[in-house]
Amino acid sequence: MKALVITPTYNEKENIEKLVKAVMQQNDTIELLIIDDNSPDGTGAIVDGLMLSEPRLHIIKRAGKLGLGSAYVTGFKYALQKGYEYILEMDADFSHNPNDIPRLLEAAQTNDLVIGSRYCNGINIINWPIERLMISYFASKYVRVITGMPIKDPTGGFKCFHRRVLEKIDLDNIHSEGYSFQIEMNYKAWIKGFKLKEISIVFTERVDGHSKMSKHIVYEAAWMVWKLRLLAILKAL
Ligand SMILES: Nc1nc2c(ncn2[C@@H]2O[C@H](COP(=O)(O)OP(=O)(O)OP(=O)(O)O)[C@@H](O)[C@H]2O)c(=O)[nH]1
Ligand SMILES: [Mg+2]
């Protein structure tokens, strides 16, 4: 079983070394691809150093901060080209617990896309201010109503694709970032008839480093759900 975890990084020097270790110890074959956008704090150089003694660690360096969605698209293309079977998305800041990776991989044996879900077993978020939690929770309901997609946590970023899903999605046609990117990938997999499965995870707000969340990313997602719905209606005509 060839599995690749893809982790985009921008200024994650406090987290990166610990993260690499935590992923590598999940099993003997798992590999990790960092997509670093020329982090000013030197995250990329730290990865270069770690790669000297860790053959299962890889990096793609981009010239500047180009966003989360395009980082994942770059990683997905690499994964398909190199023949990985299971392709995971995971943040670098330990909001996603690397110890959940084996459960994602296990569920991926019988599903096409496994989504680590904060909302499929109550609300499992630690250390978010109540406003952020409310926005995220109601945003996920909004996405569900507009798109019809039966996913309780459509904006989550800890997931595992079987390569057959990524092969069927036109990656050159994905231009969204942030939450919108997660919604778009889920929707495109769902509309093509792939089997989606949510498994419960606990999400913990980052302790080290800084958030790159912006209002722009929220607005982009609010519009994206209508775009997906309208495109589906037009195709059905
Ligand atoms: N390569 C790359 N990585 C990014 C970019 N923006 C964010 N990231 C990484 O994507 C992951 C998620 O970003 P976060 O800043 O944690 O965003 P968030 O999870 O919405 O916000 P917080 O958890 O509150 O910090 C982290 O690993 C970031 O380092 C980007 O433009 N390019
Ligand atoms: Mg984060």
Side-chain angles (χ1 to χ4, degrees):
M1 180 176 78
K2 234 183 145 204
L4 179 72
V5 177
I6 303 173
T7 299
T9 55
Y10 193 76
N11 287 346
E12 298 289 358
K13 72 167 193 253
E14 296 92 342
N15 294 308
I16 193 68
E17 184 166 2
K18 218 166 84 181
L19 183 90
V20 169
K21 285 206 180 106
V23 172
M24 293 308 166
Q25 73 185 33
Q26 296 307 319
N27 68 48
D28 294 338
T29 57
I30 195 154
E31 301 191 29
L32 173 61
L33 171 66
I34 302 295
I35 313 279
D36 186 69
D37 280 0
N38 198 16
S39 296
D41 74 350
T43 300
I46 299 174
V47 176
D48 287 339
L50 298 169
M51 282 168 64
L52 297 174
S53 56
E54 183 44 84
R56 292 185 283 137
L57 177 61
H58 315 281
I59 189 166
I60 293 178
K61 293 179 179 172
R62 305 197 301 171
K65 193 173 185 315
L66 295 170
L68 195 78
S70 67
Y72 274 124
V73 167
T74 300
F76 292 159
K77 288 181 176 171
Y78 173 99
L80 291 179
Q81 196 221 327
K82 302 269 181 192
Y84 293 95
E85 190 175 4
Y86 300 95
I87 297 124
L88 295 95
E89 293 183 13
M90 194 178 79
D91 287 357
D93 58 1
F94 286 94
S95 284
H96 304 146
N97 185 346
N99 296 335
D100 288 332
I101 290 173
R103 283 200 301 129
L104 284 171
L105 283 171
E106 194 196 323
Q109 306 303 306
T110 49
N111 294 282
D112 299 311
L113 168 55
V114 180
I115 299 166
S117 178
R118 298 164 290 185
Y119 305 128
C120 75
N121 185 14
I123 298 182
N124 288 302
I125 296 184
I126 296 175
N127 280 346
W128 262 11
I130 189 77
E131 315 86 74
R132 188 163 178 195
L133 196 141
M134 302 275 277
I135 291 171
S136 170
Y137 185 73
F138 286 105
S140 63
K141 291 210 176 293
Y142 166 83
V143 172
R144 195 173 170 148
V145 169
I146 309 297
T147 64
M149 180 166 60
I151 299 290
K152 289 191 171 154
D153 188 358
T155 60
F158 192 18
K159 50 218 252 191
C160 178
F161 296 87
H162 191 278
R163 64 175 287 126
R164 66 177 90 91
V165 179
L166 299 179
E167 281 166 349
K168 281 280 157 54
I169 292 178
D170 179 7
L171 296 173
D172 288 322
N173 208 10
I174 305 273
H175 302 293
S176 53
E177 298 295 338
Y179 300 133
S180 179
F181 170 76
Q182 306 300 356
I183 297 166
E184 187 174 6
M185 290 301 295
N186 291 343
Y187 187 83
K188 290 190 168 164
W190 175 65
I191 213 83
K192 286 186 191 310
F194 285 112
K195 200 169 160 198
L196 276 54
K197 165 87 181 164
E198 282 183 282
I199 64 166
S200 183
I201 56 146
V202 175
F203 179 102
T204 311
E205 177 54 346
R206 68 160 72 235
V207 176
D208 296 311
H210 299 285
S211 176
K212 288 111 213 164
M213 240 258 296
S214 71
K215 281 209 180 86
H216 160 76
I217 284 173
V218 176
Y219 296 142
E220 183 198 26
W223 160 233
M224 173 55 75
V225 291
W226 287 102
K227 186 174 156 190
L228 291 170
R229 181 68 191 265
L230 291 171
L231 284 174
I233 291 170
L234 287 174
K235 269 192 191 145
L237 289 176

